[in-house]
Amino acid sequence: MNVVPVSVLLLTTVAHGAEFDFVVIRISSQADDVERNVAHLLARRIAEPSGIRTQVEPDSETVSESTAESSPKNRLLILLGNPAHHDEMRQQLEAHRIKPLSDRDPGPEGFLVKMSDDHDGILVAAGYDQRGVLYAAGEVLRQLIVHEHTVEVPDALTVRTAPAFEVRGTQFGQSHIAKRLAGVRDWTSEETQRVIIDYALAGANVFPTAPGPMFDFIKSFGLKTEGGFGANTGSGPPEWNAKESIGRTGYVCLSVPEALAAQFERCENQFRTSPTYDYIKFHGGDGGGCECDLCDPYGLTFIKVVEQMAAIIHRYHPTTKIYFTNQKFDNADDNAIFRYLQEKPRDWLWAWGYGPGSDATTWQPGHRQTHRMDLFRYPGFGPFDLYPREILRQLPPRHVLTYYNEITHWRYSQHGYIQMYPRADRVGDLPPQTGHFIYERRPDQALTMVYDRLTFFAWPRYYHRVFNDLMRYSVGDVTHSSGHHDHFNQWMWQRLLWSPRTSVEDVVAEYCRTWFGPEAVPLMSQAIFQLEENLEEDPSTPLARKNGIDRCYVLVKEAGWKIPEFHRRTNWLWRQFMQKATLDKYIQLEIRQQTDLTVLIERRIADALEGGDMSRTIADSLAAIEALQESTEMAALREEARRLGEESNTLFGVRNEGYFNLNHDFVGLGWLKRQLKNAKQATHSDRVDRLRMIIDYENPGPGGYYDNLGTYNHAPRVVNGYPYDHGQPYVAQMLSEGNRPSQRSMHFTQDESEGVTLHYRDLDPRARYRVRFTFVRPWYQARYAMRMNQKSQTILADDVVLAEDQELPEQMSDFFTFDVPPETTSDGELFIRLRKAKRVADGSRVKREQWRNSGGWGTLASEVWLMKQSE
């Protein structure tokens, strides 16, 4: 039998074949409800973009009059269903000596899609089982080339395949960010159903949902459902409250008998009346459960409670598979669960679930508090690979590993960009050099100011790598999605769960073919790869100089011209890509405008310092900053983004939230303005110093040193401390945009006794030195601010106090300069040390952990200059 591999089909963007103006989908008279639903779905999807006539009918004994009138030449007949009860399909397979579908070939949930070699316009879409029929329909939709009023079937079309993973699913819905920041309209029930079916046609077979109409809809297509239960999610009297890792409410301590009894009652009430789910997930709690001593190790407390709750569920739903997640558990928690599962058979448990915070070998945001450093000795395939392998090694054979990977946030997330270098964990461990690339990937710092964590993005290459490193140990994945902005990532994940060996180039080409048509594939494929590249920080090429921004804009625009007009007018997804490209281009122009103005002002100041009129220069520079306005090109791009956003919102309730957040100080114009104002009020000598700092900011002078204490900045003299990660997802109010970029990031220490420290060598023992710091402390949201009592720190030169409890300014940075005592440099060396204030990070172990996990700092510094004084 001539079978065309899927990978070959994906590379063939335009494969011409027979063209038809009428499609008949013929099902068996014995077809079940799922097959009938799939048939009508396929008919609607074929007819939608092109207006082609479609019809669903039972087998050939009841051929309709309209079918008979259509000649075979112009009619495409799709035989859809399970050959076991579709006589006409079975006869077709036998006549062409096609091997019957079986459990091994193609396998469970598999299908065969084949165009007849007899040129009789018959396309077989055979499913091995109920869901296989749905996936056969999905393949038909991917392969058909849709024209206006006609469809074309590629020559020699043959696809025989089945999924590689048992569990393939995702969450679905609109994000709160899209609704709150982008102001999108609510989806209708039909639109939500459409999203579910889109992922199902790509290969998904399980969806998390609540009981109700959406549950019933998912089941009507033979798909599986997942429910969830939070073992410690609940409320009650204050004494029930869990000691959650960052102090959040809404969780109870499972070691309080009354709270535990209430949780069992809640579980009983929920599942006594619920429909039967295929899977129930018990999540460990977003913050890792309860930190109190009674629950320690929480993992053991948790798994024992889950076992009792599983018994309640199985009393009502004996076929439901139960799994749990170790979300942000520490090593002791995980090890306690391993020992518990190894003690004796735990037949109630199906799987160990692995998702955000589950990995003991990566430093993910949210701060898992201890890590398995022993696993780094021989790193194998790298950091993503290490802990799943260890979990599978420790699990008894009756249990499996399943995932709920988070691919929905582009930063500050399980597999997203690490915005700042990760903080040391509870015992002081930081990432080893092995796999360090994770933490060197940073989001473009300008784009982070505009786009929310839940913004429209696509990551083909990186997520392809993550998928292939992780998935080899599991039975599948139900991915975590917080909206529809991650459309490509979720779609790619489903296709890889079906066929993991598909190259990233092929899966991107298939995505583009499916959503934009074959003619647009080359351009849209390049645009998606370029978009991924544009998002990443490149220290050698700041956003203002990234040629990829223009390239992405041109590629998406030209791809739009390749999409047939009848398809483009309803294509919300192309508009989403176009909005993103347009907004990125606007941001680049805004940065260039601000950068050009900064350079102009610096040039004027340099001339003034060489004998010009400093007062006039200061006045003109301040006026130029105030007069800065949007250029004509920028205004046109903003209008284009507005129009595209309104269209995509009308079409499908999607829009880029970045449009509403475009005006930012990307380069530190606020600091420049403040420095100019201070110079205007200063005496002559101080004015000169302030103006010189504008044009030569980092220069410490002859024999001096400058250290920029941010993430991956040049700070060779730092010997203690690490970049500050702000504790929680960065919010705009934490620091003022009026700070220079170098002032916005910093080094810090937490509750350690030794603070941020710099070590200087080869100093001139006869010289006098001054030290200048840039200090700023972040503002905290109310839910974190209540435990943040740190405002000051003590500054020392060796052991000599330069400033006791020096307060750090909030949000807006300032400079602090001190004379260094000569005796501290007389040996040619110097330690500049920071020491945390008293009563910072005091209190119980739990309170200290909550303080640390939510962004607590003991010492903090952005920049340090050590300046040698002139003779």
Side-chain angles (χ1 to χ4, degrees):
M1 181 176 61
N2 181 25
V3 178
V4 180
V6 173
S7 61
V8 174
L9 289 169
L10 300 186
L11 289 171
T12 308
T13 56
V14 182
H16 295 290
E19 195 165 341
F20 305 92
D21 61 11
F22 181 38
V23 177
V24 174
I25 300 166
R26 187 172 293 164
I27 57 176
S28 168
S29 58
Q30 302 175 50
D32 59 24
D33 288 343
V34 169
E35 289 182 58
R36 284 192 288 272
N37 289 340
V38 172
H40 287 285
L41 168 69
L42 180 58
R44 289 194 304 272
R45 288 294 181 98
I46 292 174
E48 271 177 2
S50 66
I52 188 174
R53 290 187 301 155
T54 61
Q55 180 172 299
V56 176
E57 64 181 24
D59 59 36
S60 56
E61 294 180 3
T62 55
V63 175
S64 68
E65 185 176 327
S66 61
T67 304
E69 291 175 355
S70 179
S71 68
K73 180 180 179 182
N74 296 321
R75 182 206 65 183
L76 174 63
L77 174 61
I78 301 177
L79 302 179
L80 176 73
N82 188 325
H85 53 249
H86 197 308
D87 293 341
E88 188 176 0
M89 177 185 290
R90 190 166 58 251
Q91 293 167 9
Q92 184 78 7
L93 297 179
E94 290 172 356
H96 290 84
R97 299 180 180 272
I98 296 173
K99 184 179 179 182
L101 279 65
S102 70
D103 186 61
R104 293 187 178 182
D105 182 12
E109 302 182 79
F111 64 81
L112 167 69
V113 170
K114 179 174 176 56
M115 191 66 181
S116 171
D117 297 329
D118 294 342
H119 304 290
D120 52 6
I122 297 177
L123 176 63
V124 171
Y128 168 69
D129 50 24
Q130 204 174 59
R131 281 193 294 278
V133 176
L134 175 63
Y135 303 133
E139 189 65 35
V140 169
L141 290 170
R142 284 189 293 276
Q143 293 298 331
L144 291 182
I145 302 169
V146 180
H147 307 291
E148 193 161 16
H149 305 304
T150 65
V151 294
E152 186 178 342
V153 181
D155 284 335
L157 171 60
T158 302
V159 181
R160 186 176 183 130
T161 181
F165 289 87
E166 174 188 354
V167 178
R168 311 175 308 280
T170 185
Q171 296 169 325
F172 57 89
Q174 292 176 287
S175 77
H176 67 284
I177 292 299
K179 292 186 176 184
R180 180 168 59 87
L181 298 184
V184 300
R185 65 171 178 80
D186 289 341
W187 283 347
T188 64
S189 295
E190 291 74 18
E191 286 170 330
T192 302
Q193 291 172 358
R194 185 179 188 89
V195 169
I196 293 169
I197 291 300
D198 283 345
Y199 289 129
L201 292 170
N205 68 352
V206 56
F207 294 91
T209 188
M214 213 55 69
F215 181 100
D216 298 336
F217 174 79
I218 291 167
K219 284 296 185 182
S220 73
F221 283 89
L223 297 163
K224 297 188 284 187
T225 54
E226 179 186 275
F229 194 82
N232 74 329
T233 302
S235 60
E239 58 269 23
W240 290 14
N241 289 346
K243 303 299 188 294
E244 199 269 344
S245 65
I246 60 173
R248 284 176 291 198
T249 58
Y251 300 96
V252 300
C253 175
L254 298 178
S255 297
V256 176
E258 295 82 1
L260 180 59
Q263 292 300 91
F264 286 141
E265 183 180 3
R266 186 170 68 88
C267 182
E268 179 92 28
N269 291 339
Q270 177 172 323
F271 289 102
R272 182 176 59 244
T273 59
S274 79
T276 296
Y277 283 89
D278 296 278
Y279 306 98
I280 293 293
K281 175 181 71 177
F282 282 89
H283 48 272
D286 192 39
C290 183
E291 298 278 333
C292 82
D293 292 334
L294 291 174
C295 286
D296 192 28
Y298 179 74
L300 183 60
T301 302
F302 170 79
I303 198 67
K304 287 182 175 180
V305 169
V306 169
E307 183 170 36
Q308 295 176 75
M309 290 178 171
I312 295 172
I313 293 171
H314 282 150
R315 189 185 315 146
Y316 300 107
H317 311 286
T319 61
T320 296
K321 292 182 177 181
I322 305 290
Y323 75 102
F324 71 92
T325 70
N326 63 325
Q327 203 166 340
K328 297 178 188 172
F329 288 2
D330 61 21
N331 293 342
D333 294 330
D334 285 354
N335 290 336
I337 295 174
F338 287 138
R339 289 191 294 271
Y340 184 74
L341 296 179
Q342 292 163 0
E343 283 176 357
K344 66 177 185 179
R346 311 284 182 184
D347 295 332
W348 61 271
L349 180 67
W350 169 61
W352 180 302
Y354 181 100
S358 292
D359 189 3
T361 54
T362 59
W363 275 248
Q364 299 167 357
H367 316 302
R368 180 182 172 111
Q369 299 191 57
T370 53
H371 294 80
R372 286 291 302 273
M373 305 304 291
D374 58 303
L375 299 179
F376 288 100
R377 187 176 181 195
Y378 290 103
F381 286 90
F384 299 134
D385 174 88
L386 295 175
Y387 203 49
R389 182 177 65 186
E390 175 67 7
I391 292 173
L392 206 59
R393 186 182 74 83
Q394 298 234 29
L395 278 180
R398 67 178 50 82
H399 308 306
V400 296
L401 180 64
T402 191
Y403 290 104
Y404 72 113
N405 278 299
E406 202 269 63
I407 52 177
T408 194
H409 296 92
W410 72 297
R411 55 184 168 90
Y412 203 90
S413 58
Q414 181 183 10
H415 300 304
Y417 287 127
I418 306 297
Q419 251 181 287
M420 304 291 180
Y421 194 78
R423 63 181 52 207
D425 65 19
R426 180 192 291 152
V427 296
D429 285 330
L430 280 163
Q433 189 57 39
T434 300
H436 218 255
F437 72 93
I438 297 173
Y439 317 104
E440 295 171 9
R441 293 178 71 250
R442 296 183 67 199
D444 185 279
Q445 299 298 287
L447 298 182
T448 62
M449 298 169 71
V450 175
Y451 297 114
D452 189 83
R453 290 173 70 213
L454 296 176
T455 198
F456 184 81
F457 78 112
W459 272 0
R461 295 197 188 280
Y462 189 68
Y463 278 159
H464 193 271
R465 155 77 190 269
V466 171
F467 180 95
N468 278 279
D469 281 5
L470 279 174
M471 296 306 301
R472 68 188 76 207
Y473 302 107
S474 78
V475 297
D477 199 347
V478 180
T479 54
H480 167 44
S481 176
S482 294
H484 209 50
H485 57 279
D486 52 3
H487 182 267
F488 170 82
N489 305 324
Q490 297 293 346
W491 197 92
M492 179 180 80
W493 218 260
Q494 300 311 317
R495 298 305 294 146
L496 292 176
L497 286 166
W498 190 282
S499 181
R501 298 295 185 185
T502 307
S503 72
V504 65
E505 291 81 11
D506 279 0
V507 77
V508 170
E510 184 187 48
Y511 177 81
C512 295
R513 188 182 190 280
T514 301
W515 292 95
F516 310 113
E519 299 294 342
V521 167
L523 293 169
M524 279 305 301
S525 294
Q526 292 178 65
I528 289 173
F529 286 120
Q530 186 65 60
L531 174 59
E532 179 177 29
E533 185 178 325
N534 290 346
L535 288 171
E536 188 161 344
E537 179 85 351
D538 181 356
S540 66
T541 311
L543 189 72
R545 299 206 307 268
K546 281 184 178 177
N547 294 329
I549 299 296
D550 264 336
R551 182 170 184 266
C552 189
Y553 178 85
V554 170
L555 286 168
V556 179
K557 179 148 291 202
E558 290 184 354
W561 299 334
K562 298 287 187 180
I563 301 173
E565 195 278 331
F566 71 89
H567 184 26
R568 187 176 64 250
R569 62 175 172 250
T570 60
N571 197 311
W572 57 268
L573 185 58
W574 174 79
R575 286 169 172 81
Q576 283 265 273
F577 278 99
M578 197 68 243
Q579 283 174 69
K580 173 63 175 165
T582 302
L583 293 170
D584 284 355
K585 187 173 173 63
Y586 182 100
I587 296 164
Q588 184 181 63
L589 292 178
E590 190 174 7
I591 295 170
R592 286 176 178 172
Q593 187 185 58
Q594 293 179 11
T595 302
D596 290 346
L597 178 58
T598 301
V599 171
L600 175 63
I601 289 174
E602 289 175 353
R603 187 180 303 122
R604 288 175 176 175
I605 290 172
D607 291 342
L609 288 171
E610 291 297 322
D613 185 339
M614 286 190 287
S615 296
R616 177 64 181 270
T617 298
I618 291 172
D620 289 348
S621 298
L622 287 170
I625 294 173
E626 293 295 335
L628 188 63
Q629 292 184 344
E630 182 181 70
S631 69
T632 302
E633 185 179 6
M634 290 167 62
L637 288 167
R638 182 167 51 80
E639 173 58 21
E640 182 179 7
R642 182 201 63 77
R643 175 180 54 78
L644 289 163
E646 290 187 358
E647 290 174 359
S648 63
N649 186 38
T650 299
L651 288 169
F652 203 67
V654 291
R655 176 163 49 200
N656 196 305
E657 87 296 338
Y659 170 79
F660 301 96
N661 190 33
L662 288 172
N663 298 323
H664 290 276
D665 181 351
F666 294 102
V667 302
L669 284 176
W671 176 85
L672 178 57
K673 182 178 178 180
R674 188 159 52 105
Q675 192 78 348
L676 287 166
K677 285 184 174 181
N678 289 337
K680 182 179 180 179
Q681 303 298 326
T683 62
H684 177 77
S685 60
D686 189 27
R687 174 181 292 184
V688 170
D689 288 343
R690 289 183 179 276
L691 293 180
R692 286 198 185 283
M693 196 171 195
I694 290 174
I695 64 173
D696 203 7
Y697 182 79
E698 296 182 1
N699 187 1
Y705 304 89
Y706 168 76
D707 287 84
N708 184 356
L709 278 65
T711 301
Y712 294 118
N713 294 335
H714 188 64
R717 282 153 287 276
V718 173
V719 293
N720 195 60
Y722 32 88
Y724 185 49
D725 74 347
H726 298 90
Q728 294 300 310
Y730 185 81
V731 296
Q733 300 96 318
M734 279 188 168
L735 295 174
S736 170
E737 288 184 2
N739 294 298
R740 289 172 61 98
S742 61
Q743 297 164 347
R744 297 172 191 162
S745 62
M746 54 211 75
H747 268 51
F748 85 126
T749 54
Q750 300 174 83
D751 54 354
E752 303 97 319
S753 58
E754 183 179 1
V756 172
T757 304
L758 294 89
H759 183 200
Y760 300 90
R761 298 186 179 92
D762 301 322
L763 300 181
D764 184 347
R766 297 168 297 178
R768 300 182 70 90
Y769 289 88
R770 303 188 82 195
V771 61
R772 180 169 67 209
F773 302 90
T774 306
F775 289 148
V776 62
R777 60 185 170 93
W779 167 89
Y780 290 95
Q781 295 165 278
R783 57 179 171 159
Y784 308 123
M786 59 186 178
R787 64 177 65 91
M788 300 298 169
N789 64 332
Q790 67 278 8
K791 295 181 180 179
S792 66
Q793 58 194 2
T794 295
I795 305 165
L796 303 95
D798 288 348
D799 295 323
V800 178
V801 174
L802 301 183
E804 186 81 33
D805 287 331
Q806 173 66 61
E807 184 167 348
L808 281 63
E810 187 178 48
Q811 294 181 296
M812 181 66 81
S813 66
D814 207 347
F815 301 115
F816 298 82
T817 304
F818 305 94
D819 290 325
V820 177
E823 63 269 23
T824 63
T825 58
S826 60
D827 59 355
E829 291 192 46
L830 173 67
F831 285 92
I832 294 293
R833 309 177 194 274
L834 302 179
R835 185 171 63 203
K836 71 182 180 71
K838 295 177 182 178
R839 294 182 297 279
V840 169
D842 282 351
S844 67
R845 175 188 63 82
V846 170
K847 288 188 178 298
R848 290 198 309 274
E849 289 297 333
Q850 291 174 335
W851 171 86
R852 194 177 63 84
N853 291 333
S854 52
W857 57 269
T859 66
L860 199 61
S862 295
E863 301 167 291
V864 183
W865 292 258
L866 184 67
M867 300 171 289
K868 185 178 180 181
Q869 300 301 289
S870 58
E871 298 293 338

